[in-house]
């Protein structure tokens, strides 16, 4: 079925962030998932990844062409990053599969993606919770940009977060 969300676009310099699912480049996302850039993820088969992306809200990060010669033979701008949000579009969201290609890091693009995500979240007046899993050092970025909190610090043992791993869950010792 997919989400019924009106696509949004944000522009900055030669970059575009868009929720338009037609711009998502499944092969580019798959390559990122199979790289060290996304050590926690392994790309599923293309048709399965396409389904996961289709059933999620994705903020794709793209480099816009600077000249007509860069457009020749291409169907759209180059995808250089992604944020995938699994959501019911009302009360709950889970942020996952966040990346910016290495050669584009250090330009504030990740923070900009979080600003765009915050803009999307403002359109969900009944949102109760957005969750994410990340490395401890990365949580600081999410704290500053979105007001994220460490679950353990917030609930002090009064409420715990459980997880059920599926067959494709990465091994806890498989991280870098």
């Amino acid at each position: 079925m997919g989400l019924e969300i009106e696509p949004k676009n944000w522009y900055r310099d030669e970059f575009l962030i868009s929720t338009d699912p037609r711009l998502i480049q499944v092969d580019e996302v798959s390559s990122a998932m199979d790289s060290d850039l996304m050590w926690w993820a392994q790309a599923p088969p293309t048709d399965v990844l396409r389904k996961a992306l289709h059933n999620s809200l994705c903020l794709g990060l793209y480099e816009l062409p600077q000249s007509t010669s860069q457009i020749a033979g291409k169907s759209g701008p180059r995808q250089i990053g992604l944020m995938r949000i699994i959501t019911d579009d009302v009360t709950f969201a889970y942020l996952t599969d966040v990346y910016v290609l290495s050669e584009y890091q250090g330009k504030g693009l990740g923070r900009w993606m979080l600003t765009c995500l915050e803009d999307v979240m403002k359109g969900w007046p009944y949102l109760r919770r957005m969750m994410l899993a990340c490395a401890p050092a990365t949580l600081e970025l999410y704290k500053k940009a979105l007001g994220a909190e460490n679950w353990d610090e917030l609930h002090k043992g009064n409420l715990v977060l459980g997880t059920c791993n599926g067959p494709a869950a990465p091994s806890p010792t498989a991280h870098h």
Side-chain angles (χ1 to χ4, degrees), residues 162-172:
T163 182
C164 300
N165 289 333
S171 164

Side-chain angles (χ1 to χ4, degrees), residues 131-144:
M131 301 184 82
L132 58 101
C134 65
T138 309
L139 184 60
E140 290 305 313
L141 174 65
Y142 294 109
K143 282 181 177 182
K144 289 177 186 171

Side-chain angles (χ1 to χ4, degrees), residues 129-163:
R129 182 169 292 115
M130 183 178 75
M131 301 184 82
L132 58 101
C134 65
T138 309
L139 184 60
E140 290 305 313
L141 174 65
Y142 294 109
K143 282 181 177 182
K144 289 177 186 171
L146 299 173
E149 299 178 89
N150 183 313
W151 183 270
D152 291 336
E153 292 171 8
L154 182 63
H155 295 286
K156 306 273 189 228
N158 294 324
L159 193 59
V160 296
L161 183 61
T163 182

Side-chain angles (χ1 to χ4, degrees), residues 6-108:
E6 187 69 28
K8 290 181 126 182
N9 296 309
W10 298 265
Y11 295 90
R12 188 177 98 184
D13 302 323
E14 68 271 20
F15 302 103
L16 162 68
I17 293 175
S18 180
T19 61
D20 190 337
R22 297 171 299 182
L23 293 177
I24 296 292
Q25 298 160 18
V26 179
D27 290 341
E28 294 297 324
V29 176
S30 181
S31 292
M33 285 182 148
D34 283 339
S35 73
D36 286 341
L37 186 63
M38 294 177 72
W39 55 264
W40 64 91
Q42 182 178 5
T46 302
D47 58 327
V48 174
L49 179 57
R50 184 176 287 110
K51 181 179 180 180
L53 294 167
H54 175 76
N55 289 331
S56 303
L57 172 63
C58 295
L59 277 74
L61 174 62
Y62 306 92
E63 180 181 37
L64 297 171
Q66 297 300 298
S67 68
T68 53
S69 63
Q70 289 179 317
I71 299 170
K74 296 181 180 170
S75 59
R78 178 176 182 221
Q79 184 160 0
I80 60 169
L82 178 81
M83 274 186 172
R84 185 166 76 94
I85 300 97
I86 302 165
T87 182
D88 60 9
D89 195 31
V90 180
T91 63
F92 181 79
Y94 176 73
L95 178 61
T96 187
D97 299 336
V98 179
Y99 76 91
V100 174
L101 292 179
S102 299
E103 61 265 34
Y104 294 92
Q105 292 178 8
K107 300 175 185 284

